[in-house]
Amino acid sequence: MAAETPRPRAKRRDPEAARTIRDVAARAGVSTATVSRVVNGNYPVAASTRAAVERAMRELGYVANAHARALAGSTTRVVGIVVNEIVDPFFAYIARGVQAEAVASGRLCLVCSTQGDQAAELKFVDLLLEQRADAVILVGGAVEDKEYFAAVDHRARQLGASGSSLVLCGRPGLASDAPAYAVEYDNTGGAAAITDHLLNAGHTRILYLGGPTALSTTTARLRGFEQALRARGHELDPALVRTGAFGRQFGYEQTLRAIDEGLDFTAIFAANDIVAAGVYVALRERGRSVPADVSVVGYDDVPVASELQPALTTVRVPLEELGRAAVRAGLSGLEKNADPFAHQRPVTTLGTVVVVRDSVAPPPR
Amino acid sequence: MAAETPRPRAKRRDPEAARTIRDVAARAGVSTATVSRVVNGNYPVAASTRAAVERAMRELGYVANAHARALAGSTTRVVGIVVNEIVDPFFAYIARGVQAEAVASGRLCLVCSTQGDQAAELKFVDLLLEQRADAVILVGGAVEDKEYFAAVDHRARQLGASGSSLVLCGRPGLASDAPAYAVEYDNTGGAAAITDHLLNAGHTRILYLGGPTALSTTTARLRGFEQALRARGHELDPALVRTGAFGRQFGYEQTLRAIDEGLDFTAIFAANDIVAAGVYVALRERGRSVPADVSVVGYDDVPVASELQPALTTVRVPLEELGRAAVRAGLSGLEKNADPFAHQRPVTTLGTVVVVRDSVAPPPR
DNA sequence: CTGAAAGCGCTAACAG
DNA sequence: CTGTTAGCGCTTTCAG
């Protein structure tokens, strides 16, 4: 009756191919379940058995297959993050936090960089959805577009339905009941605080430079600027607000233009440190010194801020912590503690602080 | 006899859970094989059938499961990259290239950052091995350690055995027959070229600063420096070589020390741009101007180089292309063209070029 | 052009 | 403490 033997697996496909849990089990003379147990160490196994299995694994050079594991188990041990540009320090620091926290939770990190392509962002989320990432984190400025919102909203629901979750990082949350977390920082407050710093030094003619024209996350900075002005009884002079791109080039050109137009101002609020770097160059070119002739402040506190000469007074955004918090939020639903009362708040807001360096002084005369 | 029906799947676990290919098949009234075919579009399917399936997928909100796909198929559509520090522009640009090329090949990119922890590097490679990444790219300086080499060598073999491959990026290849690719750039040549530039300007007392003490990739820069000197009949003065850390701090401190010791030099070769940034600060502090009093050159041409004042003359390393080339190399074995003669060379070396900016002038007097 | 069925490698009940 | 046995969701022969 030997011929009746089930013989479920016919032949090993490739003798060179990776060993499987079954090979290990056979070699150690145990069942695959036992091997699984020692691999995962989440179940009691006799010491001697464990030793035999470990030995077999070593001898065979066994490497677990994460996909089989993901398929059979429930979690994939992968988190995904989508950023605009990985070489931009703003995103890089957030990514670093995400990476670190992911690793701390025993996960790997799938990083997607859109290079500013809005469509790519959504496509990456879809891919991450296919990967069944335990959490997907979307970083950075969203455009205020109906259709876009609907698309994100939909993805949030899909993720939620598959036990994962969407985390909006550094941007406002969804204004719907879609299952998504938001991890932001106090953009408006930071902007107001540093504007206050300028006001305290005696400046009232402050030129605001940078940031997108369209309504978006970072407009919050402009809002903070305006609030601080108003709170001290000053009006926002439209001539002193120039929004547009976010780069060094923009800061450079606008500063040049402002000077050449004879615009009256004694300080510049750059919407981020990179813009401020451009401002510095233009100022130097026109022979204006910082901070004697004009004071400058930035935002973000990325490395350039302390490299500029004189070092830039700016708003420190807890970028790395932002990334960590995003992972924690995204994973909060998966953790075993599953205490429904200790529930993660859908929106986390981190504080910002003004870092005073050398680029602000009282206005000349 | 209805009771005899096999009924292979008993119950849907969770009505809210993600739809599977089977749900789609049922809804479209076709077999799962057919659904698979339309999803992959790699097999003829009647137009009407295809339409029905696509409709069913849409209605069900079907999202393929990448893990099931990886398990059943052969490729995972994921490449892994291990770097020291993702916020460091040197690595960030390489990662960007890797990401871009991975996406271009229809893959996602798993990014691991070790924060300089050598042990973590190997651990990440193991994790990537578990992920069955189609290629794993190891970036950056390796230490010259026997045991470490053996470990890398072993991983290379494991990857090779599982149809994947290891790519050493920006570091020398394995000196063994292990299946690994190396994608480097001409470190020595670049260093020699920029040293020549200094020599041509009339400098002979050049202080070399930075780079690791231990033999490692970047020692190649020191080697190039020496070669260029020799080629012009100069000896390498040991007093003018200070190796050690790689950061701004190191550049700053060593420059200060050199000046305070009264060391005789008219130019500084910083082992990378970051070190050069530190050099600038120290020079300014001691009232030495660049390039009037001392000329400075760097290496890598990361953004700081052009931000420094005066802009830094440096060696441009094709960082992003390095990343792209690494992915191409790593994937070369998988591509269908599998032409055994058009075989990827195990070692690719990219050229470097000197970028002349404003930090070099003839020596004073 | 389409369907049936056998797995891919692993985990998780469910018995012992 | 350990083994049996279903699947997880998809791809891929092998037959029509």
Side-chain angles (χ1 to χ4, degrees), chain A residues 98-291:
Chain A
V98 168
Q99 220 277 165
E101 189 71 24
V103 168
S105 80
R107 268 164 260 252
L108 248 23
C109 187
L110 231 15
V111 178
C112 309
S113 179
T114 65
Q115 318 303 321
D117 177 355
Q118 192 83 43
E121 179 185 292
L122 261 15
K123 225 169 297 165
F124 278 133
V125 175
D126 288 340
L127 254 17
L128 261 12
L129 214 37
E130 292 194 355
Q131 294 290 332
R132 298 296 190 269
D134 289 342
V136 359
I137 298 168
L138 223 50
V139 186
V143 289
E144 299 267 338
D145 176 63
K146 210 105 184 207
E147 209 173 319
Y148 172 74
F149 270 164
V152 174
D153 190 272
H154 180 234
R155 305 292 191 296
R157 287 172 206 285
Q158 285 182 293
L159 282 163
S162 69
S164 173
S165 57
L166 181 67
V167 183
L168 271 9
C169 184
R171 65 155 86 170
L174 258 22
S176 75
D177 62 333
Y181 296 104
V183 176
E184 308 178 61
Y185 52 91
D186 187 10
N187 236 326
T188 306
I194 203 160
T195 303
D196 239 36
H197 179 68
L198 247 20
L199 256 17
N200 287 338
H203 299 274
T204 56
R205 302 286 306 167
I206 307 170
L207 175 59
Y208 182 94
L209 242 43
T213 358
L215 261 295
S216 113
T217 317
T218 22
T219 323
R221 323 246 247 229
L222 180 51
R223 207 158 47 233
F225 174 63
E226 183 171 3
Q227 277 178 15
L229 247 31
R230 289 244 153 81
R232 300 281 280 259
H234 301 97
E235 272 312 300
L236 183 72
D237 179 350
L240 289 178
V241 174
R242 314 217 160 165
T243 59
F246 241 132
R248 141 186 349 265
Q249 192 61 21
F250 182 82
Y252 173 77
E253 286 168 0
Q254 292 297 321
T255 302
L256 243 37
R257 181 173 317 174
I259 292 176
D260 296 347
E261 284 172 356
L263 196 64
D264 174 28
F265 65 91
T266 60
I268 296 180
F269 182 152
N272 74 18
D273 297 342
I274 310 289
V275 172
V279 168
Y280 267 50
V281 176
L283 252 19
R284 187 178 298 114
E285 249 176 50
R286 286 293 181 267
R288 303 288 209 281
S289 105
V290 178

Side-chain angles (χ1 to χ4, degrees), chain B residues 31 34 37 44-46 49 72:
Chain B
S31 73
T34 301
R37 285 169 190 137
V45 173
T49 313

Side-chain angles (χ1 to χ4, degrees), chain B residues 257-282:
Chain B
R257 181 174 316 173
I259 292 176
D260 296 347
E261 284 174 357
L263 196 64
D264 174 30
F265 65 91
T266 61
I268 296 181
F269 182 153
N272 74 17
D273 297 343
I274 310 288
V275 171
V279 168
Y280 267 49
V281 177

